Amino acid sequence: MSRNHIKDGAVESHWDHHIPLPKLGSFYSRLVTAFVALICFINSYDGDFVFDDSEAIINNKDLNPASPLSNIWKNDFWGSNLSSNSSHKSYRPLTVLTFRINYLLAGGLYPVGFHLLNVALHCVISALMIDVFSILIGGLSHDGKGSKLSFSPKASFLAALFFAAHPVHTESVAGVVGRADLLCALFFQLSFLVYCKSFQGSDKKFSVSWIIGSILLCAVAMLCKEQGITVLGVNAAYDILIVCNLNIYELLQRLLSRRKTAEIGEWVRNGLLVRMAILFFGGSFLLYARWRIMGTGPPSFTEVDNPASFAENVILRIVNYNYYYSLNAWLLLCPWWLCFDWSMGCVPLIKSASDWRIIWPLLLWCCLTGLISQALCSQDSNKRRTLTFGLVLLVIPFLPASNLFFRVGFVIAERVLYLSSAGYCLILAYAVGYCSCHWRKHRRLLRVATLVLLCVNVVRSAQRSQQWRSEQSLFTSALSVCPLNAKVHYNVGKNLADRGNQSAAVKYYREAVRLHPKYVHAMNNLGNILKERNELYEAEELLSAAVRVQPDFAAAWMNLGIVQNSLKRFDEAERSYWNAIKFRKKYPDCYYNLGRLYADLNRSVDALNAWRNATMLKPEHSLAWNNMVILLDNTGNLAQAELIGKEALKILPKDHTIMFSLANVLGKQEKYKESEGFFLNALKINPNFASCHGNLAVLYHRWGKLDFAKKHYELSLRLDPNAPGTKENYNMLKRKLEQRQRTVG
């Protein structure tokens, strides 16, 4: 006979009072949980935008309040149109809306506000977990005044503390793009709690309106992240196991033995079938709507994103998927081995039965089998319920990332464990309570072990959160975890190159190419650095290899053209530029480089057309505007150069290089006053512009304002003593001034 006490459909946990925690009131337990969540991740509040934040935040035009708000409903999470074949199909408009609000409130892309909101959301979610765990462990019951009763205050508090401090959450909290997981989890919780509220009156009566509200909150969760749909499975499990108090094991025995059962009639009477039908049709509608939104079908991923899904042998796929599951389980058990990316060789495939790593999926299934048998067969109803819901929360939210229904674009992603970790924390809290109940002689040791585990998790979370504050620390931290991951070496190299340390970057780019010989982005970036170092032949070899591997890689084609241009192989360079434009129609930088090639070949009209195309595609392309003015100036088309220069300054009114070029054109036309104005404006913006001082001096020299000319020649020579022609012009002026003095004398 069970030792649990049934009260109004709820279960009082006999092991709850053995949990080695003080019994706090509802308010204080939530406050402590939120505080623990805060101290774990607060040091990320002033971190940078890192890793995926650059695409989802910095380069996402949908965040800018100047862009139409309707775009967030048409584009994916990364700002690409959903109908595009290159779209990831991740439809999360409500998450993007919160990014947009952050941008609007801060007046720009300042990461502090983004990070603070993430930390605040994790604190709220952690506190709400107490309510969720309390219902799952002890059921839902109310006193005569309608206040909710908790029959497992210590167990739910401990599970929530484990959740608040779990280091695997760092990616979701410290990385701004993790906002999707946080918002999804929040509305997941609210959907579950609202579903529970539909049974507030009595187990045999329920409110359809609250169930509909739960489905609507599920839809909101899906609009934050697709994983939100899984709350319907948790709601159904709650209904079956707690509301209907169904013993799955006994039911299966009856069905297998073909004995008559009265449950079906009871299900009809208490409305279970109606509620399951509502959940089923609601979920089906949401899935259908989500499929229609995807437009062109599911996203396409490459073998490097998820190599197991491309294995031809079905058995190999199954074995490797299960190996991935075991690694996810290990991250929950021992979250010391964390990495921002697990693709590109980080987890080599298991290809034979002799691979020792096959032990891990076998061990995982042994543990799961043991848990499932206890969840189904235990005589202790509270144990059955707690372990069953631990498994439900562990498995159901993870299903979209499991590769069972569709191919996903990653091997392991710590962020997808945000919700699943709640199931692990529930099972862990039960384990602590069980040991406290049965190992009473060692209760003090168990209390110390629990406290140590919580403290270790807090310290590890704070440490990992610190690593997420900058790309440099994040990427370098991954080198010891995934030394075989080409993307890790690539990102370390890219970060070094962005900070100006190109020599060190070369080493990491070379290692990335060695680990993954078809890594086109590493080849492209390494080729660019070698090009700047004038190692043109190796650069050409790398870039040629990149376009062979990926013929539509427009950036590599353009960079190959630049190298070929430097090698004086102009015909090949022109073909490479046109290939780049073929694969990326709107490519202003490529048109600019094509214009430079035509200018080197004295094909002035073609150069002007190329630069004009660049400015049409990117009106703020300063170099293209400036080159047009200079080319027209050099070819004697001064009137047209003046028009182009003034057109450019309407778009770029503070561009001192265009002012300088236009001033030169006006000076040649003897429009001295107007030319002087542009020179002086350019010097206001950049007072240390030596060439501008020198050319303004020449203007004054021609204009006859010799004292002003002398002043600006001297300023130019002070800034750049080797400025070509300036010293000669200055000496000419001095002779002229001496001659004038002698004439006056």
Side-chain angles (χ1 to χ4, degrees):
M1 178 177 287
S2 170
R3 291 177 292 171
N4 302 319
H5 309 287
I6 308 298
K7 295 185 178 180
D8 301 324
V11 180
E12 186 174 9
S13 302
H14 63 85
W15 50 271
D16 183 78
H17 65 277
H18 294 292
I19 294 285
L21 281 179
K23 186 174 181 179
L24 300 178
S26 175
F27 172 76
Y28 289 107
S29 61
R30 288 173 176 79
L31 190 64
V32 171
T33 303
F35 179 72
V36 169
L38 181 69
I39 61 174
C40 285
F41 301 106
I42 190 59
N43 62 348
S44 67
Y45 86 96
D46 61 346
D48 300 330
F49 291 120
V50 297
F51 194 40
D52 286 340
D53 295 347
S54 60
E55 289 301 315
I57 309 294
I58 298 172
N59 299 329
N60 191 344
K61 294 180 181 178
D62 292 345
L63 269 63
N64 193 326
S67 66
L69 184 61
S70 59
N71 283 359
I72 69 171
W73 303 99
K74 300 174 186 175
N75 296 338
D76 66 14
F77 185 57
W78 312 94
S80 300
N81 194 287
L82 281 163
S83 61
S84 169
N85 289 330
S86 61
S87 170
H88 280 211
K89 312 297 182 184
S90 45
Y91 187 64
R92 302 164 191 173
L94 294 186
T95 304
V96 178
L97 180 61
T98 66
F99 292 154
R100 189 177 173 114
I101 292 170
N102 271 128
Y103 186 111
L104 184 65
L105 293 176
L109 290 174
Y110 302 103
V112 172
F114 290 84
H115 285 297
L116 283 176
L117 183 53
N118 273 27
V119 174
L121 282 169
H122 179 61
C123 293
V124 171
I125 292 162
S126 299
L128 270 177
M129 276 296 174
I130 293 177
D131 296 273
V132 173
F133 290 141
S134 178
I135 292 170
L136 295 180
I137 297 170
L140 183 64
S141 186
H142 298 80
D143 61 17
K145 298 178 181 179
S147 298
K148 188 167 63 178
L149 298 173
S150 176
F151 295 108
S152 54
K154 289 187 176 183
S156 54
F157 180 32
L158 180 61
L161 286 175
F162 283 141
F163 179 86
H166 204 295
V168 84
H169 298 157
T170 312
E171 180 176 358
S172 297
V173 182
V176 176
V177 295
R179 177 84 56 84
D181 301 278
L182 298 170
L183 289 171
C184 175
L186 177 62
F187 288 105
F188 183 105
Q189 291 175 313
L190 294 175
S191 175
F192 173 73
L193 294 172
V194 166
Y195 190 82
C196 295
K197 198 169 180 63
S198 65
F199 304 99
Q200 186 168 340
S202 167
D203 283 354
K204 294 185 179 180
K205 293 181 181 180
F206 62 94
S207 168
V208 173
S209 59
W210 283 110
I211 295 175
I212 298 298
S214 173
I215 293 172
L216 290 175
L217 284 167
C218 170
V220 174
M222 283 185 71
L223 291 174
C224 298
K225 190 175 181 181
E226 300 77 2
Q227 195 178 15
I229 187 68
T230 58
V231 71
L232 298 182
V234 177
N235 291 348
Y238 166 80
D239 200 336
I240 293 167
L241 297 174
I242 292 185
V243 176
C244 296
N245 200 23
L246 187 64
N247 188 318
I248 302 295
Y249 180 67
E250 288 181 2
L251 179 63
L252 287 173
Q253 280 187 321
R254 289 183 183 182
L255 291 174
L256 291 173
S257 62
R258 297 183 179 179
R259 282 186 288 166
K260 291 184 178 180
T261 177
E263 268 82 358
I264 294 177
E266 181 64 24
W267 296 346
V268 173
R269 284 192 295 275
N270 66 22
L272 174 64
L273 296 181
V274 173
R275 296 192 296 274
M276 292 301 102
I278 294 172
L279 290 177
F280 174 78
F281 288 112
S284 298
F285 174 78
L286 292 177
L287 287 173
Y288 173 74
R290 181 67 182 81
W291 182 261
R292 289 297 302 268
I293 286 168
M294 281 202 300
T296 57
S300 58
F301 297 109
T302 61
E303 187 174 351
V304 295
D305 297 320
N306 185 357
S309 66
F310 285 84
E312 294 182 4
N313 189 305
V314 176
I315 302 298
L316 278 182
R317 282 208 300 273
I318 293 171
V319 168
N320 280 284
Y321 286 159
N322 280 275
Y323 180 54
Y324 294 167
Y325 305 155
S326 67
L327 290 176
N328 279 284
W330 181 248
L331 291 180
L332 292 175
L333 287 166
C334 183
W336 206 263
W337 194 42
L338 300 175
C339 185
F340 71 92
D341 184 89
W342 295 82
S343 63
M344 286 198 173
C346 189
V347 183
L349 287 178
I350 294 174
K351 296 182 179 179
S352 71
S354 60
D355 193 320
W356 68 271
R357 293 175 298 160
I358 207 166
I359 294 170
W360 295 115
L362 293 174
L363 184 60
L364 171 69
W365 279 106
C366 287
C367 294
L368 285 176
T369 302
L371 283 171
I372 292 168
S373 66
Q374 288 295 308
L376 292 178
C377 307
S378 174
Q379 295 300 307
D380 185 337
S381 63
N382 191 255
K383 181 179 183 180
R384 288 200 311 269
R385 182 175 295 184
T386 305
L387 291 180
T388 299
F389 276 111
L391 289 168
V392 164
L393 272 180
L394 182 69
V395 173
I396 290 181
F398 184 74
L399 288 175
S402 66
N403 286 290
L404 291 177
F405 304 107
F406 45 80
R407 177 184 289 155
V408 297
F410 51 83
V411 175
I412 297 171
E414 292 157 23
R415 59 188 176 274
V416 304
L417 294 173
Y418 189 80
L419 274 169
S420 291
S421 65
Y424 163 76
C425 294
L426 181 55
I427 294 170
L428 183 58
Y430 174 79
V432 172
Y434 180 87
C435 293
S436 298
C437 187
H438 291 82
W439 299 350
R440 298 186 183 184
K441 293 181 180 178
H442 306 289
R443 191 172 293 174
R444 182 174 295 177
L445 178 62
L446 192 63
R447 183 181 292 114
V448 171
T450 304
L451 182 61
V452 168
L453 177 59
L454 278 170
C455 290
V456 167
N457 277 358
V458 169
V459 170
R460 176 56 177 150
S461 293
Q463 180 197 37
R464 184 62 179 158
S465 183
Q466 180 73 19
Q467 291 173 341
W468 271 84
R469 291 180 74 251
S470 72
E471 288 195 332
Q472 180 184 2
S473 58
L474 177 64
F475 296 155
T476 52
S477 71
L479 288 171
S480 59
V481 179
C482 283
L484 299 179
N485 187 337
K487 189 181 282 189
V488 167
H489 291 274
Y490 167 81
N491 278 292
V492 173
K494 187 174 184 299
N495 181 258
L496 287 166
D498 290 343
R499 291 187 290 117
N501 193 349
Q502 294 194 336
S503 298
V506 167
K507 168 191 167 186
Y508 289 100
Y509 281 141
R510 288 194 190 280
E511 181 64 8
V513 174
R514 186 190 71 78
L515 290 169
H516 186 64
K518 294 184 178 180
Y519 197 173
V520 292
H521 294 286
M523 294 178 194
N524 180 58
N525 287 14
L526 178 56
N528 270 339
I529 292 178
L530 295 175
K531 173 190 71 182
E532 297 298 326
R533 291 164 59 167
N534 209 36
E535 297 177 31
L536 299 176
Y537 291 103
E538 187 181 358
E540 182 185 26
E541 183 181 341
L542 281 163
L543 293 166
S544 297
V547 296
R548 280 197 301 273
V549 173
Q550 186 178 326
D552 62 348
F553 191 4
W557 277 115
M558 183 188 76
N559 291 324
L560 179 59
I562 295 171
V563 171
Q564 290 165 335
N565 192 3
S566 300
L567 291 169
K568 309 298 182 187
R569 298 213 298 272
F570 300 119
D571 290 340
E572 293 176 42
E574 184 179 9
R575 282 195 296 273
S576 294
Y577 286 141
W578 281 115
N579 276 329
I581 293 166
K582 171 186 172 184
F583 294 117
R584 190 189 297 179
K585 305 296 182 188
K586 298 178 180 180
Y587 204 170
D589 288 341
C590 192
Y591 276 111
Y592 166 74
N593 285 309
L594 181 62
R596 288 187 59 186
L597 169 67
Y598 288 145
D600 290 342
L601 296 173
N602 293 320
R603 293 165 58 178
S604 301
V605 175
D606 290 333
L608 289 169
N609 286 335
W611 288 329
R612 174 55 81 177
N613 282 332
T615 58
M616 288 174 66
L617 292 170
K618 185 180 177 183
E620 66 277 12
H621 203 302
S622 171
L623 291 172
W625 283 113
N626 202 35
N627 279 17
M628 279 195 282
V629 175
I630 293 169
L631 180 61
L632 290 167
D633 180 3
N634 291 341
T635 55
N637 295 302
L638 299 179
Q640 192 177 354
E642 180 183 350
L643 290 173
I644 293 292
K646 289 179 177 178
E647 181 185 352
L649 287 175
K650 288 178 183 176
I651 298 166
L652 299 163
K654 294 184 179 180
D655 193 306
H656 66 278
T657 59
I658 296 174
M659 291 178 188
F660 172 71
S661 299
L662 178 58
N664 289 331
V665 170
L666 293 168
K668 289 181 182 179
Q669 295 180 88
E670 298 185 356
K671 297 180 180 180
Y672 296 134
K673 188 66 180 173
E674 195 175 357
S675 175
E676 177 193 30
F678 284 112
F679 275 131
L680 292 175
N681 283 337
L683 288 171
K684 279 182 188 176
I685 296 167
N686 184 6
N688 297 322
F689 192 175
S691 298
C692 195
H693 282 292
N695 285 21
L696 177 57
V698 171
L699 177 77
Y700 283 137
H701 199 157
R702 291 178 184 168
W703 199 357
K705 296 186 176 185
L706 303 185
D707 292 331
F708 286 115
K710 180 174 181 293
K711 170 189 170 184
H712 284 282
Y713 277 136
E714 289 171 352
L715 284 170
S716 178
L717 289 168
R718 193 180 307 153
L719 292 167
D720 183 7
N722 300 315
T726 302
K727 200 164 189 178
E728 291 79 3
N729 289 336
Y730 180 52
N731 290 332
M732 284 173 57
L733 176 65
K734 284 201 297 186
R735 287 195 295 272
K736 193 170 184 178
L737 287 170
E738 289 168 2
Q739 185 180 359
R740 187 175 70 175
Q741 276 187 332
R742 285 196 298 271
T743 303
V744 171

